[in-house]
Amino acid sequence: MTTPTVLFICTHNAGRSQLGAHLMDHVAEGRVHSTSGGVAPADAINPAIAATLAELSIDTTSVVPRAVTAEDLATADVVVTMKPNLDLPGPIHGEHVQWSFPDPANWDADGARGMRDAVRAAVEKLEQRLR
């Protein structure tokens, strides 16, 4: 059995998609390969998101947001768009899962914590389905 690849996408690859990918790695413990990208990547991960992940002992200090590519979309088994109507660089070839989470760009860690927990709950359900 092959390890499924899940690609998480948001606008800047600084918040929502980072949460998705890091939380999937955290809960899946190697059963799922996760990656993330953005359609207009930021220069750095959102500090509030990094802080909430650090609370779970998830280190994001070396993370740099990146652009999602057509190859990413073609090779992922599951593509999770973290907001509706993203302008993607190509067609999705695997399963498409669409979630809708608000943009945490101007949030502090206290504000982002609830979204982290909501994304974690969604990630746990997806990971269980992929087993």
Side-chain angles (χ1 to χ4, degrees):
M1 182 174 174
T2 61
T3 303
T5 296
V6 179
L7 169 64
F8 293 89
I9 306 171
C10 69
T11 305
H12 302 295
N13 190 222
R16 296 166 284 195
S17 59
Q18 293 287 346
L19 280 174
H22 287 287
L23 291 169
M24 179 62 81
D25 285 343
H26 186 70
V27 302
E29 299 177 336
R31 293 181 296 270
V32 174
H33 172 73
S34 64
T35 187
S36 67
V39 296
D43 293 329
I45 188 171
N46 179 320
I49 297 302
T52 66
L53 289 169
E55 293 170 356
L56 302 175
S57 299
I58 298 171
D59 180 15
T60 61
T61 56
S62 64
V63 172
V64 177
R66 69 175 193 89
V68 64
T69 67
E71 182 178 345
D72 292 331
L73 297 168
T75 59
D77 298 299
V78 179
V79 174
V80 179
T81 50
M82 305 292 284
K83 70 167 274 175
N85 303 316
L86 289 171
D87 187 18
L88 301 176
I92 294 171
H93 292 274
E95 176 186 353
H96 182 203
V97 175
Q98 186 168 285
W99 295 341
S100 184
F101 289 99
D103 184 355
N106 298 313
W107 296 4
D108 62 14
D110 288 337
R113 202 168 284 116
M115 186 169 69
R116 177 205 59 199
D117 295 342
V119 170
R120 182 178 182 156
V123 162
E124 286 173 345
K125 288 180 187 175
L126 177 59
E127 189 273 333
Q128 289 174 1
R129 186 171 61 80
L130 294 174
R131 285 188 188 186

